[in-house]
Amino acid sequence: MKKTALILAAGQGTRMKSKTPKVLHEICGKPMLSCVIDAAAAAGIHENIVVVGHGEGAIRKAFSDAGVKFAKQEHQLGTGHAVMMAKNHLPEEGLVLVLCGDTPLITEETLERFMAFHERENNCVSVLTARMEDPFGYGRIVRDDDGGVARIVEEKDADEEIKEIDEINSGIYCFEAGFLKKSLDKLTNNNAQQEYYITQLIEIARAEGEKIGARIISRNEEIMGVNNRAQLAEAAALMRDRINRDHMLEGVTFIDPKSTYIDLEVKIGPDTVIGPGVILKGKTVIGQDCEIGQNCRIVDSVIGNGVTIQSSTILESTVGDETTIGPYAYLRPHAHLGRRVKIGDFVEVKNANIGDGSKASHLAYIGDADVGKDVNIGCGVVFVNYDGINKYRSVVEDDAFIGSNSNLIAPVHVEQQGYVAAGTTISRDVPEGSLVVGRVKERVIPTWGARKYNQKKEKKNAK
Ligand code: UD1
Ligand code: CA
């Protein structure tokens, strides 16, 4: 059966108090609308139609490659009106699953089961419901004496008796496409909010003797709608719990899952240990047997197996197997480290390749460089890559040694086994196997220090 999803996302989301349209706000690195679209796609939806209104341009732009169709609702005259605006996109037959763009916690599993229920029961309309301790604000499910769904009544239209009902409408429905399409013209807006309610379709179906079903969800969090930033944080926390739990069940150790922030698309290999305060974002991939120590932030990077990283920041970079990084290292975009590399404390690497077995153990800047294998970069080495106008690249070949506190003024080329003596500034190439020393020869001035010391003491005694 053809399955189409219709996702309502035209509302303003006033309570977010944001320039960004509500459904573009992110949960664990993904816009809420993506969470919904992805769940629908995973559940076997063939086509997604998104109804947009407020923030239309931004939403269309963000989803231009997502393969979804858009329908425009200029004025938000209600959920039923939103569906009317998509009428031309709706299929003639099959199933239409209606979702909201602001319920990011809905799962593939729940949607799959709900659609299977709709098909199995041969329903014309199915509604996903929930029992809530506090049903305030939701539409209530009014059942008839036989337990069938009679209608849905909004909070604002409800009398005291109906307000007592604890079964609520999730806002998620399945419709037989033909029925949905032909019934939209019958919607009216004579209710407390003078809106066209999608829920009126239940009464219409009932009047026509069509089969209506309801399925009660067990995990209420899945239908949680996000209307403000407090709910955004709440939904994100629930999503994080899920993400972290999934990783733990796949063999990843978390020292403190509550303080670990991992985006939805991140992958982590088994037997890796994730410390507290770690943030893994975007399309990051971490291998197995790694130790990602406390307070690391890793964004859009690929980390190999057996890598140890302590308290460091890594952006858009790659790290080979068994390399160690940090504490307090900073890998900026396009740092590519080989295997068994060591990048120690306060080392910054940017747009540079560093070959297997090379080391920069402390306090160095390696920018715009190609560094070979088994190179030693001493403490305080600076790759001087910028002349104030342009950036230049340097090359350091295999087995070279760059002594502490040296400056490599780019572009320079240090050939294999070249040595740069500590404290040397080079602006010319270093030939293979040679040593370059560029220091001022030191002089020794006897007793100078002793005299200075005595002067100081006299001054102190005079006070
Ligand atoms: C709706 C349901 C209510 C249900 C609740 C679940 C109706 C009449 N009521 O109420 O029974 O319990 O959802 O959360 O359907 N939207 C549009 N265009 C509009 C109006 C809304 O696209 O003109 C979109 C919103 O962006 C949102 C969704 O539809 O994604 C739901 O709208 P909202 O105003 O939140 O509906 P509720 O009043 O909460
Ligand atoms: Ca709502």
Side-chain angles (χ1 to χ4, degrees), residues 7-13 15 22-23 51-54 73 75-83 85 98-103 128 135 137-141 152-157 168-173 191 193 195-200 223-227:
I7 302 170
L8 309 186
Q12 184 165 16
R15 283 168 287 169
K22 177 162 85 173
V23 295
V51 183
V52 287
H54 282 280
Q73 187 191 26
H75 301 290
Q76 282 66 56
L77 305 179
T79 49
H81 183 259
V83 183
M85 297 301 106
V98 176
L99 300 165
C100 292
D102 62 356
T103 54
L128 191 65
Y138 287 100
R140 307 298 206 286
I141 306 293
I152 297 176
V153 181
E154 293 306 298
E155 178 81 33
K156 287 183 178 140
D157 299 303
I168 62 99
N169 170 23
S170 70
I172 296 174
Y173 322 82
N191 50 54
Q193 305 185 80
E195 284 184 359
Y196 296 90
Y197 291 166
I198 191 175
T199 48
Q200 199 191 348
I223 55 159
M224 174 188 170
V226 171
N227 298 308

Side-chain angles (χ1 to χ4, degrees), residues 29-45:
K30 225 190 225 190
M32 290 198 274
L33 182 55
S34 285
C35 297
V36 177
I37 289 173
D38 291 354
I45 288 293

Side-chain angles (χ1 to χ4, degrees), residues 139-391:
R140 307 298 206 286
I141 306 293
V142 180
R143 298 209 180 229
D144 60 23
D145 295 339
D146 305 327
V149 179
R151 59 204 167 98
I152 297 176
V153 181
E154 293 306 298
E155 178 81 33
K156 287 183 178 140
D157 299 303
D159 59 25
E160 289 312 311
E161 196 184 332
I162 283 175
K163 284 181 183 168
E164 290 296 308
I165 297 172
D166 70 347
E167 188 183 1
I168 62 99
N169 170 23
S170 70
I172 296 174
Y173 322 82
C174 273
F175 289 97
E176 195 277 298
F179 166 81
L180 178 62
K181 221 170 169 175
K182 76 169 201 281
S183 306
L184 288 172
D185 297 340
K186 298 177 188 157
L187 294 179
T188 58
N189 68 347
N190 51 37
N191 50 54
Q193 305 185 80
Q194 294 195 315
E195 284 184 359
Y196 296 90
Y197 291 166
I198 191 175
T199 48
Q200 199 191 348
L201 289 166
I202 301 232
E203 289 157 65
I204 293 170
R206 197 177 162 87
E208 292 174 7
E210 298 285 5
K211 191 157 182 247
I212 302 162
R215 201 181 148 88
I216 304 177
I217 199 171
S218 49
R219 288 174 299 199
N220 288 359
E221 63 167 65
E222 287 198 26
I223 55 159
M224 174 188 170
V226 171
N227 298 308
N228 57 42
R229 312 261 185 158
Q231 289 170 337
L232 185 71
E234 206 180 309
L238 289 164
M239 188 68 101
R240 276 201 300 276
D241 286 348
R242 273 189 203 167
I243 293 170
N244 294 350
R245 197 182 149 73
D246 285 350
H247 286 299
M248 289 187 269
L249 296 181
E250 292 299 323
V252 180
T253 295
F254 284 68
I255 303 299
D256 181 18
K258 281 282 173 219
S259 72
T260 310
Y261 306 84
I262 300 181
D263 277 358
L264 276 156
E265 291 186 7
V266 170
K267 295 185 174 64
I268 310 174
D271 285 322
T272 282
V273 179
I274 308 284
V278 167
I279 302 173
L280 304 178
K281 294 190 73 66
K283 298 199 186 310
T284 292
V285 178
I286 311 272
Q288 53 190 43
D289 303 311
C290 292
E291 196 185 319
I292 312 296
Q294 65 191 51
N295 300 330
C296 287
R297 183 166 73 96
I298 305 178
V299 183
D300 291 327
S301 295
V302 178
I303 311 297
N305 300 324
V307 172
T308 302
I309 307 174
Q310 295 183 60
S311 304
S312 293
T313 298
I314 300 183
L315 314 175
E316 297 170 45
S317 291
T318 61
V319 175
D321 297 346
E322 294 170 49
T323 282
T324 65
I325 297 174
Y328 316 114
Y330 185 18
L331 268 51
R332 288 168 54 205
H334 310 296
H336 300 297
L337 313 186
R339 300 163 64 101
R340 296 192 189 172
V341 167
K342 181 176 179 199
I343 298 295
D345 52 279
F346 305 105
V347 174
E348 176 176 334
V349 183
K350 184 216 80 173
N351 193 23
N353 302 308
I354 299 185
D356 298 349
S358 289
K359 294 188 172 75
S361 299
H362 354 251
L363 299 157
Y365 173 61
I366 306 168
D368 299 309
D370 296 299
V371 175
K373 294 182 185 158
D374 298 312
V375 170
N376 188 84
I377 294 174
C379 180
V381 168
V382 176
F383 282 63
V384 184
N385 60 331
Y386 184 51
D387 65 3
I389 302 168
N390 294 308
K391 300 241 164 82

